[in-house]
Amino acid sequence: KKLYFKVGRVDTANQPVVNGHKAPVLDIAFNPFNDNEIASSSEDCTVKIWFIPDGGLEETKTISENTLLGHQRRVTHVRWHPTANDVLLTIGGDHAVLVWNVRTEEIMTQIKCHEELILSACFNYNGSLLATTCKDKMIRIIDPRSGEVVKVGKGHDGAKPQFVIFADDHDILITVGFSKRSERQYAVWKQDDLEKPLELEVIDVSNGVLFPYYDYDTSIMYLAGKGDGNIRYYEIIDESPYCCYLNEFKTPDPQRALGRMPKRGMDVKSCEIFRFYKLHAKGAVEPISIIVPRKSELFQEDLYPDTKGAEASLQAEEWFGGLDASPKLISLKQGHNPSRSQPQQVRSSPKLPVKKESVGNNVTNEQAIPTPLSPNTAADNDDLMKEIQHLKLQIQNQEDRITKLEEQAKAI
């Protein structure tokens, strides 16, 4: 079994990979109800479904479990349905949105209301509605089963990409985009009225495209820009100003992209409420944990309400038949052990046998007798030493940078 929590450089020359597309891959998405299943889209106009066994790949995989053929141009986005099993939404450069039954490889809905490139799409909490943004600067709320446009309104004025997310526990939509003067903005919209935003706030002036992430459990929105080194977070409330700035995570290293861990993968004991996986410019992937500091070691019920589990509420046929259902929730109080997850291994220090020596007057002196390290333990120790050296080097680089900045500040 491979240990996915181990860090360090990957031997890319000998690492098995998924290599089944004939052109660059543009998007991937993990199935929320099967941690071993991934959907991928590509410039080759196809969408493929891959099964990754527990423990990872033993050899490079080139044949997918399913191949979905329907788009005439490159497929830019894939989105799994949040409550129905085997329902997948895909977006193509042909301006089409397709909703699939993955197991039968059938197109169940074709949505062709967009006349220009579709920039983003997001299901609401129970998957009964779909919101999209488009290069024509319009925001659309769509019925994903019928393809009917329920609401439409004009989004941000800037020509650069804009993105949308639902926060329907507060009955709102949130978009991020640009003004005509390249100011980065976020806007808050009433779901049933897209004529005018409830709030429109300028964040800063930058060229990097902003990506929003919303956590239904804590009502916190995270904003991260491509090429930025920071992640801002806001609390979403039911009244003006709707988005309340909380704080930001700062680092000098720019991010190329971010992934997120499902809430059931959080470290509850450390009060971790969100985890990003940050892709660096040189290919490194860094976990970033958002942690609420608490002194108590008890379970924090206010941080961890019941959250989305790994079991689907509906089957594909039920959802396409018109049924809607909220996600099935689980408690994180006792930890969560998904049925498909690999067993976790805890590394502990080897116990040393104790030798008692008589010193006199029935007093003993206890000494630990070193035990030779096994080959596996020795290898683990080498990994730890390498990681320590790597961290020391990073600290030294940061200290050198601080010294240079201090000298520049004195010279000004």
Side-chain angles (χ1 to χ4, degrees), residues 79-245:
R79 299 286 185 271
W80 291 99
H81 193 276
T83 63
N85 196 25
D86 294 332
V87 176
L88 183 71
L89 178 141
T90 62
I91 298 174
D94 51 5
H95 310 160
V97 179
L98 305 181
V99 185
W100 301 80
N101 183 330
V102 171
R103 292 299 159 239
T104 63
E105 301 183 1
E106 291 180 88
I107 300 172
M108 306 302 291
T109 308
Q110 296 189 48
I111 303 172
K112 295 187 176 181
C113 59
H114 304 85
E115 297 182 358
E116 295 191 45
L117 184 66
I118 303 164
L119 301 174
S120 73
C122 179
F123 281 109
N124 67 342
Y125 186 65
N126 69 356
S128 61
L129 293 173
L130 176 72
T132 66
T133 58
C134 183
K135 197 173 181 180
D136 62 8
K137 304 178 185 178
M138 304 302 289
I139 306 166
R140 294 173 176 85
I141 299 179
I142 303 166
D143 183 331
R145 281 177 287 230
S146 67
E148 176 188 357
V149 178
V150 179
K151 295 289 179 182
V152 64
K154 189 175 184 300
H156 299 266
D157 293 329
K160 293 182 180 179
Q162 53 185 291
F163 298 85
V164 62
I165 54 172
F166 273 99
D168 45 348
D169 51 339
H170 299 280
D171 196 31
I172 59 175
L173 285 172
I174 302 173
T175 58
V176 292
F178 292 81
S179 69
K180 290 182 178 179
R181 295 177 292 180
S182 293
E183 298 167 319
R184 297 199 293 191
Q185 306 171 324
Y186 70 77
V188 181
W189 310 78
K190 202 72 175 172
Q191 281 192 30
D192 55 3
D193 184 6
L194 300 181
E195 292 296 322
K196 183 180 179 181
L198 298 171
E199 292 284 338
L200 179 63
E201 187 72 23
V202 174
I203 300 170
D204 59 12
V205 179
S206 179
N207 292 324
V209 176
L210 283 172
F211 296 93
Y213 303 84
Y214 184 61
D215 180 6
Y216 277 98
D217 297 340
T218 58
S219 292
I220 293 178
M221 175 182 69
Y222 300 87
L223 295 183
K226 186 175 182 179
D228 292 356
N230 62 334
I231 301 172
R232 298 177 175 88
Y233 26 109
Y234 301 78
E235 182 179 9
I236 307 303
I237 59 177
D238 292 325
E239 57 190 14
S240 183
Y242 298 99
C243 294
C244 301
Y245 175 78

Side-chain angles (χ1 to χ4, degrees), residues 8 11 25 37 63 82 95 148 164 190 195 204-205 238 244 263 274-275 297 336 342 372 387 406:
D11 181 10
V25 174
E37 195 168 65
I63 300 176
H95 310 160
E148 176 188 357
V164 62
K190 202 72 175 172
E195 292 296 322
D204 59 12
V205 179
D238 292 325
C244 301
K263 186 59 68 76
F274 210 88
R275 189 189 307 164
E297 295 183 356
H336 179 57
Q342 60 272 15
E387 181 64 16
E406 288 175 342

Side-chain angles (χ1 to χ4, degrees), residues 159-373:
K160 293 182 180 179
Q162 53 185 291
F163 298 85
V164 62
I165 54 172
F166 273 99
D168 45 348
D169 51 339
H170 299 280
D171 196 31
I172 59 175
L173 285 172
I174 302 173
T175 58
V176 292
F178 292 81
S179 69
K180 290 182 178 179
R181 295 177 292 180
S182 293
E183 298 167 319
R184 297 199 293 191
Q185 306 171 324
Y186 70 77
V188 181
W189 310 78
K190 202 72 175 172
Q191 281 192 30
D192 55 3
D193 184 6
L194 300 181
E195 292 296 322
K196 183 180 179 181
L198 298 171
E199 292 284 338
L200 179 63
E201 187 72 23
V202 174
I203 300 170
D204 59 12
V205 179
S206 179
N207 292 324
V209 176
L210 283 172
F211 296 93
Y213 303 84
Y214 184 61
D215 180 6
Y216 277 98
D217 297 340
T218 58
S219 292
I220 293 178
M221 175 182 69
Y222 300 87
L223 295 183
K226 186 175 182 179
D228 292 356
N230 62 334
I231 301 172
R232 298 177 175 88
Y233 26 109
Y234 301 78
E235 182 179 9
I236 307 303
I237 59 177
D238 292 325
E239 57 190 14
S240 183
Y242 298 99
C243 294
C244 301
Y245 175 78
L246 294 176
N247 208 334
E248 67 178 312
F249 167 81
K250 292 183 178 181
T251 174
D253 301 315
Q255 56 227 8
R256 292 179 60 188
L258 291 169
R260 63 183 289 181
M261 170 68 76
K263 186 59 68 76
R264 53 193 170 88
M266 297 296 103
D267 183 359
V268 176
K269 292 183 180 179
S270 67
C271 296
E272 180 186 40
I273 61 171
F274 210 88
R275 189 189 307 164
F276 288 101
Y277 289 92
K278 172 179 173 179
L279 177 62
H280 287 252
K282 293 184 178 180
V285 177
E286 174 191 7
I288 298 174
S289 293
I290 307 299
I291 294 174
V292 178
R294 294 284 173 90
K295 292 183 179 180
S296 173
E297 295 183 356
L298 298 176
F299 180 75
Q300 306 296 315
E301 294 187 2
D302 59 325
L303 298 181
Y304 301 106
D306 289 354
T307 190
K308 292 180 181 180
E311 184 179 353
S313 302
L314 299 168
Q315 294 304 312
E317 293 76 15
E318 295 175 312
W319 184 78
F320 286 117
L323 291 180
D324 288 318
S326 296
K328 290 188 177 182
L329 304 181
I330 60 170
S331 172
L332 300 180
K333 189 168 185 177
Q334 301 300 328
H336 179 57
N337 297 312
S339 58
R340 291 184 173 271
S341 65
Q342 60 272 15
Q344 292 188 350
Q345 301 182 22
V346 180
R347 181 186 301 157
S348 59
S349 301
K351 293 183 179 180
L352 302 179
V354 175
K355 176 182 179 183
K356 296 184 178 181
E357 294 182 352
S358 176
V359 180
N361 297 326
N362 296 324
V363 178
T364 59
N365 180 26
E366 297 186 354
Q367 294 181 344
I369 303 174
T371 302
L373 294 177

